[in-house]
Amino acid sequence: MAIYEESLKSLFLEMSFNGTLLSTGTGFICTSPIGPVLITNRHNVTGRRQDTGQPISSNGGVPDKISIRHNRLEHMGETLLKDEALFDHEGEPRWIEHPTLGAVADFVALPLSNTYGGVQLRYYDPSAPGPLFKIGPTAIVSVLGFPFGITGGASLAVWATGFVASEPDADYGGLPTFLIDCRTRPGQSGSPVVAYRHGSADVEGGGTMMFDQPLTRFLGIYSGRVNADADLGIVWKARVIAELIASLK
């Protein structure tokens, strides 16, 4: 079975409270000094809007568990459902926020405790994001996740493709984010955002690189649209995800 590696790296998430499903989302795995961690949006694990703090679910519930469809070892395209508690025995959150941005940043790291029994972990490394393709306004990018809880078959991610809509080296809204113009929808929160190139690509500093296999540059994590009426979405930059991971001691 020929499957792109990136289609396997995005993981389908289900957030629930006391066994009741509240929402679905997306996440991905990174290595860290404390072991493998799930990277996803903060609003996925809190169940609350980042701007108002109000519950996202229509029933007012907030999650106490996250279920992850991990890749199954030696069975490409198959998954195993593994549960992770969102709170410890003292009721404290298990997820870890950025060391300086804290709750302002809409991404967290959740240490994984349930990866036994045939799970295969496939990683992104935000500190080594890949070839330095030139990424500027109008550059093509892809958001790999699960809109409306839809998969691309066999629990594989759906590729939603759009364009960079703001200067990536500038900070949108005074935060380490940039904008993309892409038809993203609920369920894609927490998706990795990548530049995926075939054959050739312009590189930072000028010039063009040629290659005989597709290459990927990891750009950040998708956080949601600027408002319900827009196709403009917010991406938290790879470098601040790398900072969070490096802070895990």
Side-chain angles (χ1 to χ4, degrees):
M1 182 184 295
I3 296 176
Y4 287 4
E5 178 75 9
E6 289 73 14
S7 295
L8 297 163
K9 288 182 177 180
S10 291
L11 302 180
F12 188 99
L13 308 179
E14 298 174 318
M15 281 63 70
S16 60
F17 173 73
N18 200 25
T20 299
L21 179 65
L22 300 177
S23 63
T24 63
T26 305
F28 54 92
I29 307 298
C30 293
T31 57
S32 82
I34 61 172
V37 294
L38 176 75
I39 304 296
T40 190
N41 286 148
R42 183 177 182 274
H43 74 256
N44 279 340
V45 297
T46 64
R48 297 181 181 276
R49 291 176 56 92
Q50 279 290 104
D51 53 356
T52 65
Q54 295 300 307
I56 296 171
S57 174
S58 60
N59 65 15
V62 295
D64 60 3
K65 181 180 73 176
I66 188 167
S67 300
I68 307 168
R69 291 189 196 173
H70 283 289
N71 290 289
R72 184 180 179 190
L73 183 65
E74 298 180 353
H75 290 77
M76 186 173 292
E78 296 184 20
T79 59
L80 293 172
L81 191 64
K82 298 289 186 176
D83 296 336
E84 294 282 350
L86 289 175
F87 299 90
D88 63 21
H89 295 301
E90 285 72 45
E92 294 297 318
R94 291 186 59 235
W95 67 82
I96 302 166
E97 299 174 350
H98 188 277
T100 56
L101 295 169
V104 172
D106 192 17
F107 62 91
V108 297
L110 179 71
L112 294 176
S113 63
N114 188 4
T115 58
Y116 55 85
V119 167
Q120 181 171 3
L121 300 179
R122 299 174 182 271
Y123 303 98
Y124 280 105
D125 182 357
S127 66
L132 295 181
F133 306 143
K134 185 176 182 180
I135 303 297
T138 76
I140 297 173
V141 295
S142 295
V143 180
L144 283 69
F146 304 94
F148 304 118
I150 295 170
T151 74
S155 294
L156 299 171
V158 173
W159 292 59
T161 299
F163 305 92
V164 175
S166 69
E167 291 287 350
D169 289 339
D171 287 344
Y172 168 73
L175 295 169
T177 62
F178 65 93
L179 294 178
I180 59 173
D181 185 358
C182 185
R183 288 192 174 182
T184 48
R185 295 297 183 262
Q188 288 169 286
S189 293
S191 297
V193 179
V194 304
Y196 191 81
R197 300 290 185 267
H198 295 260
S200 66
D202 294 336
V203 295
E204 292 182 0
T208 301
M209 65 182 299
M210 309 294 293
F211 38 90
D212 56 8
Q213 294 185 350
L215 295 178
T216 300
R217 178 177 176 181
F218 175 80
L219 300 178
I221 184 171
Y222 177 76
S223 178
R225 291 177 287 165
V226 296
N227 61 59
D229 298 320
D231 283 330
L232 293 175
I234 299 170
V235 179
W236 291 83
K237 298 178 183 180
R239 66 173 176 81
V240 285
I241 303 173
E243 291 170 1
L244 168 59
I245 292 169
S247 74
L248 303 178
K249 306 293 186 183

